[in-house]
Amino acid sequence: MDLVPALEEPLNQPLKSVLGPATAKVMAEHLGLHTVGDLLHHYPRRYEERGQLTHLADLPMDEHVTVVAQVADARLHTFASSRAPRGKGQRLEVTITDGSGRLQLVFFGNGVHKPHKELLPGTRAMFAGKVSVFNRRLQLAHPAYELLRGDSEETVETWAGALIPIYPATAKLESWKIGKAVQTVLPTAQQAVDPLPDSLRAGRGLVSLPEALLKIHRPHTKADIADARARLKWDEAFVLQVALARRRYADAQLPAIPRTPGPDGLLAAFDDRLPFTLTEGQQKVSKEIFDDLATDHPMHRLLQGEVGSGKTMVALRAMLAVVDAGGQAAMLAPTEVLAQQHHRSVTEMMGDLAQGGMLGGAEHATKVVLLTGSMGTAARRQALLDLATGEAGIVIGTHALIEDKVQFHDLGLVVVDEQHRFGVEQRDALRGKGKQPPHLLVMTATPIPRTVAMTVFGDLETSVLDQLPAGRSPIASHVVPAADKPHFLARAWERVREEVAKGHQAYVVCPRIGDEEEDPKKAGKKKAPEDEAEKRPPLAVLDVAEHLRGGPLKGLGVEVLHGRMQPDDKDAVMRRFAAGDTDVLVATTVIEVGVNVPNATVMVIMDADRFGVSQLHQLRGRVGRGSAPGLCLLVSEMPEASAARQRLNAVASTLDGFELSRIDLEQRREGDVLGQAQSGARSSLRVLAVIEDEEIIAEARQEAMALVESDPELTGLPGLRTALDALLDEEREQYLEKG
C-alpha cells in the first residue's frame, strides 16, 4: 500500500473503530485509506493562510477544489421548469471573491434554504466542489461549505494555527471533514516507529517521524511544513530504494549460465554481413550487455534510447550471442502487429542465417520462429516443436509465449520490448521457463529521465542509446492550428500529396477507430449544458479515411489500420504499405512502436492534443527512417493559450526524447508514471516528486545500497522492516520479486 512506517498498534487500527463506519467506508472506497496509519499518511496537498485568499483566477476545470473566499452578493431567483411549472423553481446564485477573481456558486430547489440563510454578503467560508463552466463563466454547482466564523470555540479549535491544511478530497468527503478526522487520530502519531536508521537521520538533520507527522498536519509556520516534507520525502525515497536494493542483492545471488559467443560463430557471421558500422553508442551498450551475459548470475538490464536509435539491432546481437553459446532467446512484444514486424525485420537482417535446418541455410544458421495467438494450428504446432527441440534459437511472440504449453530446450535470454505494456506476472512466467533463471533485457522506446529510471527500475542496470544511426534524417515538426487557421490544414493535405508525388508515403493518425457502439449507460444520461459544449468526440480513423478518400486526398491509395481488425487483415495492410502499394495509411496508435517503413516521410496526427507527449514523440519516430527528411504535422483545434497547445509546441520544438519525457512528467502526476511501471499498483509517492527530488533519490539509493550490502536482512532495523512490509503489500511483494 503506502510507505506507512511501523504499523504496530495503534497505527494499525482500522479507521472504522476510530471514526465510525460511515466515514471509514467513504475513506476506504474513495481514498484507499483503511487504517489510522493510512490516514496519517494522507498529507495535505497545500495550505491556506488565514489572512490570504485563494486565487480564484487559477481554478482548474473539472477538478474538485477547495477555496477560501468571501461572499460578495447572493440573489434568489424563481423560474418555471418541468418540475416547477408555475414559476416555483428556485435558484440561489452566490458570488464569492478573493480579490483576484470572482466565482459563482449556484444552488437549486430545496437546497437553497440553508445557504440563503447562511451565505450573507461579507461571510467568509471554505467552499468545495467541482469547477464547471456555464455561460462562459466558472461556477461551482451545489458546493459543500464550512463557515469560518472564527468566534465559536470549535471553529477556532478546528482551524487553529494560521495555516489551514487542504487535503486531496473527493465529492463524497470534503477537505475539512478529512481534516477533522486527521485531528482525531493525530495523537497516535507519537507511537509511529521510525523506519530511518538513527545514523542516517542524525547525519542529515531530519526530524523524527512523529514530529514530521505532527508538523505536516498541524503546522504553525511554513518552516514546519518544510521540515516535515524534507523528512517524509526521505522516508519515501529510502524505503523504496531499500526494496529495490534488496531485490538487486537477491538477484545477484541467483545462479545463471554464462553465455559467451564463439569467435567465429553466428554473431561473427552476422556482424561480417552488416552493410553499415554500428554507432559508438551501439558498440558501447553491446559491450555492457555481453559483459553481463558472461557472468554466472542473471543480467537485469534496461536498454533505453531515442526513437530510432537502433535498440532492435543491439537486442538482436545479444540474442545471437546467446544462441552462439548454445542457448535460446525469446523476444516478447506487446502486440501481434509488432511481433510480426519484429519477426520480419529480424529474418530480413539475418538473411540465410535465419534458415537453420533449411535448404539454403548458412553454416551457422539457426531457426527464427514467430508465435502469436492467432496462428493456425499446424504452424503453431511446428513452432512449439522447434522450441522444445532447440531447433529454433530465436522466438519472437506476444504473450502467447507465456502459455503453459510452450517449452524451451534451453532458454538463456528474455528480451522484453516496451516494458510498460507488460505485466510483471507475464515477464515472470516467461523467465520461469528457463532451467536456470535466464538473463533479462528490457527495452523501452520512451526515453525515461534518470531519476524515473532509478525510482521505477532501480533493480535494473541501465544502458542508454542517445545517438541516431548514420543515414537517419531529421524530422521537422509543426503545429497546425485547425480552428484558428483552417487554411493551414488544407496546406497539410497538399504537403501529403506533394510527398506522394515524389514517390513517398504518409501516415494519418487518429485517436479513435470510429466503429464503437455508444455505451447504453452513458447514452441514457442527460448531459449538463456545460458538458455538451465541452468537447466533441475525438476524430476517428474510419471517418477521417472516408473524408480523405472523397476530398483532400482523392485519387490516392488510402487504407486503414486499427486494433479491432483481424490479425491477417492487419498484416496484409502493413505488408502492402511496407511494399509501397498504399500511399496513405490512416491508423490508430497501433503504429506507435516498432513499425518500420523507411519510405514513409510524412505523418499527420489529428487531434494531437488528445495524445501524451511521449506518445507523440513515439509516433513521430515512424517517419524520417530513410534518407529523405521526415515531416510531422500536429493538428489541433485547441486555442493558442491552452496548456494542450503549449504541450504540442514543446513536442514540435525538440527531438530530444529525454527532454520531452521530463516535460511530460512535470505536466502529469507522478502516479501515472510510477503506476504504469509498478504493475498498476497505486503510486507509493505522496510528497516525493521524481523530477524535483533528483538529489534525494540519488542519495537515498547510495544509502540503501550500502545498508543492504552490509546487512541484507536488516536485522537491526525493525522499523524499516515494518515500513517495507507496508510498502510491499502482497501485490507489490510479488511485483518486486518477479521483476
Side-chain angles (χ1 to χ4, degrees):
M1 275 291 291
D2 304 331
L3 302 189
V4 179
L7 291 191
E8 309 292 328
E9 295 293 340
L11 270 73
N12 221 353
Q13 271 177 284
L15 283 172
K16 63 171 178 266
S17 64
V18 189
L19 301 176
T23 309
K25 184 168 187 257
V26 176
M27 286 195 167
E29 285 175 8
H30 294 274
L31 296 169
L33 308 175
H34 303 277
T35 65
V36 169
D38 291 348
L39 179 54
L40 285 174
H41 287 270
H42 186 71
Y43 309 130
R45 179 178 283 158
R46 57 190 173 83
Y47 301 85
E48 278 304 342
E49 293 184 53
R50 290 302 291 276
Q52 260 192 358
L53 294 162
T54 330
H55 285 299
L56 293 179
D58 310 334
L59 289 181
M61 275 295 297
D62 275 347
E63 282 197 24
H64 282 280
V65 297
T66 304
V67 295
V68 177
Q70 193 160 10
V71 177
D73 70 35
R75 295 173 187 202
L76 191 60
H77 303 271
T78 53
F79 60 91
S81 71
S82 54
R83 287 188 183 169
R86 293 201 193 87
K88 291 281 174 62
Q90 290 192 309
R91 181 174 79 245
L92 175 66
E93 289 177 3
V94 178
T95 306
I96 59 172
T97 178
D98 65 350
S100 74
R102 296 167 86 80
L103 178 65
Q104 190 158 49
L105 315 178
V106 53
F107 300 87
F108 292 102
N110 294 335
V112 304
H113 305 306
K114 185 168 177 270
H116 190 215
K117 283 208 298 267
E118 294 184 336
L119 297 179
L120 305 172
T123 309
R124 289 189 71 224
M126 295 177 82
F127 301 93
K130 188 178 183 185
V131 183
S132 57
V133 172
F134 185 67
N135 283 345
R136 299 196 160 202
R137 288 168 63 189
L138 290 181
Q139 72 165 30
L140 295 181
H142 282 283
Y145 61 88
E146 174 93 346
L147 302 179
L148 294 177
R149 294 194 184 87
D151 48 18
S152 78
E153 264 320 286
E154 192 223 9
T155 314
V156 175
E157 185 48 41
T158 312
W159 310 113
L163 296 161
I164 301 169
I166 306 289
Y167 288 90
T170 74
K172 296 269 192 292
L173 201 62
E174 295 87 24
S175 168
W176 53 84
K177 290 186 180 161
I178 297 172
K180 285 178 179 171
V182 170
Q183 297 301 336
T184 310
V185 301
L186 203 51
T188 48
Q190 295 301 340
Q191 282 128 329
V193 183
D194 208 318
L196 294 189
D198 292 341
S199 56
L200 189 158
R201 210 178 75 221
R204 296 187 177 273
L206 300 169
V207 301
S208 71
L209 182 61
E211 190 181 338
L213 291 172
L214 214 57
K215 283 183 167 176
I216 199 134
H217 291 296
R218 293 197 72 166
H220 292 295
T221 62
K222 288 184 175 172
D224 284 353
I225 300 169
D227 284 352
R229 288 176 67 84
R231 160 62 215 243
L232 295 166
K233 281 181 177 192
W234 256 95
D235 278 17
E236 291 181 1
F238 184 68
V239 176
L240 186 59
Q241 292 301 340
V242 168
L244 293 165
R246 288 184 79 189
R247 172 138 151 240
R248 284 174 77 147
Y249 181 84
D251 283 339
Q253 313 307 311
L254 291 172
I257 300 167
R259 311 278 179 175
T260 316
D264 47 9
L266 184 58
L267 178 62
F270 176 77
D271 282 349
D272 287 346
R273 299 163 172 225
L274 277 181
F276 50 84
T277 50
L278 298 174
T279 64
E280 269 176 53
Q282 285 175 316
Q283 291 174 6
K284 177 174 107 359
V285 168
S286 289
K287 183 179 182 317
E288 291 170 353
I289 292 171
F290 291 156
D291 288 350
D292 280 359
L293 290 174
T295 61
D296 54 8
H297 56 82
M299 165 172 84
H300 281 103
R301 193 166 276 284
L302 173 69
L303 171 59
Q304 59 159 329
E306 273 303 352
V307 178
S309 57
K311 291 182 293 289
T312 311
M313 172 60 76
V314 170
L316 175 56
R317 292 183 71 244
M319 294 198 287
L320 295 174
V322 169
V323 175
D324 244 0
Q328 290 169 293
M331 183 185 243
L332 200 54
T335 64
E336 293 213 350
V337 166
L338 200 51
Q340 286 160 343
Q341 178 88 28
H342 274 319
H343 181 254
R344 200 174 303 135
S345 60
V346 164
T347 47
E348 278 168 15
M349 285 199 273
M350 286 175 65
D352 58 4
L353 293 174
Q355 296 170 355
M358 293 182 240
L359 275 173
E363 181 195 348
H364 295 292
T366 186
K367 214 171 188 183
V368 179
V369 299
L370 176 69
L371 191 61
T372 63
S374 62
M375 280 168 76
T377 319
R380 189 179 171 78
R381 191 176 295 132
Q382 184 59 52
L384 290 172
L385 187 65
D386 289 341
L387 287 180
T389 59
E391 185 82 12
I394 295 177
V395 58
I396 296 168
T398 54
H399 50 87
L401 278 176
I402 294 163
E403 290 168 14
D404 293 345
K405 292 194 209 76
V406 182
Q407 298 296 326
F408 288 85
H409 176 65
D410 178 13
L411 180 60
L413 171 68
V414 174
V415 179
V416 180
D417 185 19
E418 275 302 282
Q419 148 83 19
H420 61 267
R421 307 273 180 104
F422 272 101
V424 172
E425 290 71 23
Q426 295 164 308
R427 294 209 317 259
D428 185 50
L430 189 54
R431 276 171 66 187
K433 291 185 178 292
K435 295 185 173 62
Q436 279 192 304
H439 299 281
L440 174 71
L441 182 65
V442 175
M443 296 200 294
T444 168
T446 308
I448 310 173
R450 174 171 157 267
T451 40
V452 181
M454 285 194 312
T455 310
V456 180
F457 305 111
D459 59 311
L460 299 175
E461 295 292 341
T462 306
S463 293
V464 176
L465 277 173
D466 46 15
Q467 226 181 339
L468 290 188
R472 273 300 169 87
S473 308
I475 304 171
S477 306
H478 303 284
V479 178
V480 178
D484 317 347
K485 300 178 178 166
H487 60 286
F488 276 39
L489 183 58
R491 176 73 189 112
W493 300 127
E494 280 173 26
R495 283 291 289 118
V496 170
R497 281 187 170 280
E498 287 164 15
E499 287 298 311
V500 171
K502 290 181 196 164
H504 297 307
Q505 292 160 279
Y507 295 104
V508 177
V509 181
C510 305
R512 206 164 56 95
I513 297 174
D515 58 359
E516 300 87 346
E517 286 180 22
E518 175 82 13
D519 182 339
K521 284 186 195 141
K522 288 183 187 162
K525 280 187 185 171
K526 285 285 286 173
K527 286 187 178 170
E530 59 267 23
D531 290 347
E532 283 290 353
E534 187 188 48
K535 274 186 177 172
R536 59 167 172 71
L539 290 170
V541 166
L542 301 176
D543 307 339
V544 169
E546 197 174 320
H547 165 68
L548 293 176
R549 282 188 191 115
L553 301 184
K554 197 171 182 175
L556 301 187
V558 177
E559 287 211 61
V560 300
L561 179 72
H562 58 75
R564 277 211 285 276
M565 290 164 63
Q566 290 301 315
D568 291 354
D569 298 343
K570 274 193 270 198
D571 200 41
V573 168
M574 262 331 289
R575 276 177 192 277
R576 284 196 292 276
F577 189 65
D581 301 339
T582 306
D583 299 319
V584 179
L585 187 61
V586 183
T588 55
T589 54
V590 288
I591 60 154
E592 180 186 347
V593 272
V595 174
N596 186 23
V597 180
N599 190 44
T601 53
V602 60
M603 174 177 286
V604 182
I605 303 180
M606 307 302 291
D607 277 346
D609 47 275
R610 310 280 175 117
F611 298 97
V613 170
S614 53
Q615 207 173 20
L616 291 169
H617 183 56
Q618 195 58 52
L619 285 164
R620 167 171 67 183
R622 302 301 112 212
V623 294
R625 299 179 82 84
S627 51
L631 173 66
C632 177
L633 301 172
L634 306 166
V635 180
S636 172
E637 291 185 0
M638 296 304 275
E640 182 83 51
S642 63
R645 269 286 282 283
Q646 287 162 10
R647 210 170 62 225
L648 296 181
N649 292 339
V651 174
S653 67
T654 177
L655 289 172
D656 180 342
F658 287 92
E659 179 53 35
L660 284 174
S661 65
R662 285 185 82 96
I663 293 171
D664 194 16
L665 244 182
E666 280 158 8
Q667 290 194 341
R668 296 187 331 187
R669 288 200 272 290
E670 240 86 34
D672 300 356
V673 178
L674 299 176
Q676 240 182 5
Q678 295 183 346
S679 81
R682 227 176 57 194
S683 161
S684 60
L685 301 191
R686 296 276 174 271
V687 283
L688 193 71
V690 171
I691 291 288
E692 281 167 39
D693 298 322
E694 190 154 2
E695 281 176 30
I696 294 180
I697 292 168
E699 288 172 21
R701 186 178 185 183
Q702 294 297 315
E703 294 269 10
M705 282 160 65
L707 176 71
V708 170
E709 206 54 46
S710 63
D711 178 11
E713 291 305 307
L714 311 178
T715 40
L717 297 163
L720 178 56
R721 291 177 66 159
T722 316
L724 278 171
D725 292 344
L727 168 66
L728 311 178
D729 62 2
E730 283 161 40
E731 181 182 8
R732 273 169 190 261
E733 185 68 72
Q734 291 170 350
Y735 166 75
L736 283 173
E737 273 175 10
K738 290 174 178 174

